[in-house]
Amino acid sequence: MRIIADLFLLVGAAFCLLGAIGLLRMPDVYNRIQAGTKAVTLGALAFLIGVALLMPGWWPKLAVIAGFILLTNPIGSSTIARAIHLAGVDAWRKTDTPTREGDA
Amino acid sequence: MSKSASSVVPLTIRLLVVGLLFLLWIAMVGRFDAREWLVGLVLCLLVAAAAGDHLRVFAGVRLHPGAPLHFLRWFAYFLVALLKANLDMARRVLTPSLPLNPAFVEVRTSLESPLGKLALANSITLTPGTLAVDIHDDRLLVHWVDASPGTDLEAATARIAAGFERHLLGFLK
């Protein structure tokens, strides 16, 4: 049990790290939001599962936290994305690729 | 949903909200305690009463015996999508060349209630490569990272939305 819990904690931390790397590496706001939201949501969930395995008595509260994360994380991201979209920022385009067919 | 349609929230919806709030309360208390639960029930009723017509949002829930099953199926589908989304994003982030081809696409939805659209937008945001940006009537504006030249954007995005919609329509309007 202890090992499985640790594994979940590790996976959660790994996804949060990936989210952070994504934030740094992505070229524009929309892609950063994409990387940030998905990775951190799953990372947090994995973390909560890990904690639930370590502390079985806490699981109802952890489930509530998970529910709120699942509900509010995407809303926050979409709201930021919408504000940026309304401010007139367009989707990022790769400009340094020499061959590109059917560019719409 | 038009404002004139009904400002009165059906009793079943009110009870549903009270039930949900009470479940939350019980989860936070974490153990059986008659006094705490009683206080919680009174508070839940008060909150539901104070919220009044704002509870209209919850009128988007379809109340029928099969609804919980549809909810569970949507949730399972959603978890798989979230997992795939993360593996996909991990691959993109870690590939040195950053394989991205972002574009905006519009998706039509047959979900009509605000709650239904919210659930769909949230689902889309946590699906591989997509981010819900804006909602106008029955159209969702979606930012998609994998719009490689040559792919049929409309068809591909419609497929993403359709998967969720099929399950969501089982318990949301």
Side-chain angles (χ1 to χ4, degrees), chain A residues 28-76:
Chain A
D28 78 335
V29 203
Y30 298 113
N31 287 302
R32 289 202 161 113
I33 291 174
Q34 289 233 19
T37 318
K38 294 181 221 295
V40 171
T41 307
L42 189 70
L45 284 186
F47 223 86
L48 290 173
I49 294 173
V51 175
L53 289 173
L54 282 180
M55 300 280 174
W58 289 8
W59 76 263
K61 289 178 198 187
L62 296 171
V64 171
I65 297 173
F68 278 125
I69 288 179
L70 279 176
L71 195 61
T72 53
N73 251 6
I75 294 180

Side-chain angles (χ1 to χ4, degrees), chain A residues 15 18 21-22 25-27 30-31 33-35 37-39 41-42 45 60-61 64 68 70-71 74-75 78 81-82 85-86 90-92 94 100-101, chain B residues 24 27-28 75 78 82-83 85-86 89-90 93-96 98-104 118 122 125-127 129-134 141 143 145 149:
Chain A
F15 274 116
L18 278 172
I21 296 173
R25 287 209 68 202
M26 289 302 184
Y30 298 113
N31 287 302
I33 291 174
Q34 289 233 19
T37 318
K38 294 181 221 295
T41 307
L42 189 70
L45 284 186
K61 289 178 198 187
V64 171
F68 278 125
L70 279 176
L71 195 61
I75 294 180
S78 290
R82 181 168 184 269
H85 180 67
L86 290 180
D90 206 359
W92 174 81
K94 219 175 257 186
R100 196 185 158 93
E101 0 147 36
Chain B
L24 275 181
M28 292 317 272
F75 194 64
F78 170 80
L82 179 60
L83 207 62
N86 274 278
M89 195 44 79
V93 165
L94 295 178
T95 308
L98 273 184
L100 299 171
N101 273 297
F104 283 111
L118 169 70
N122 269 6
T125 297
L126 295 174
T127 328
T130 52
L131 168 73
V133 174
D134 208 349
L141 186 65
H143 178 260
V145 287

Side-chain angles (χ1 to χ4, degrees), chain B residues 9 15 44 68 87 91 100-101 105-106 113 119 136 139 170:
Chain B
V9 183
L15 288 177
C44 292
L87 296 176
R91 183 180 63 78
L100 299 171
N101 273 297
V105 235
E106 278 203 338
S113 67
H136 283 295
R139 296 190 315 276

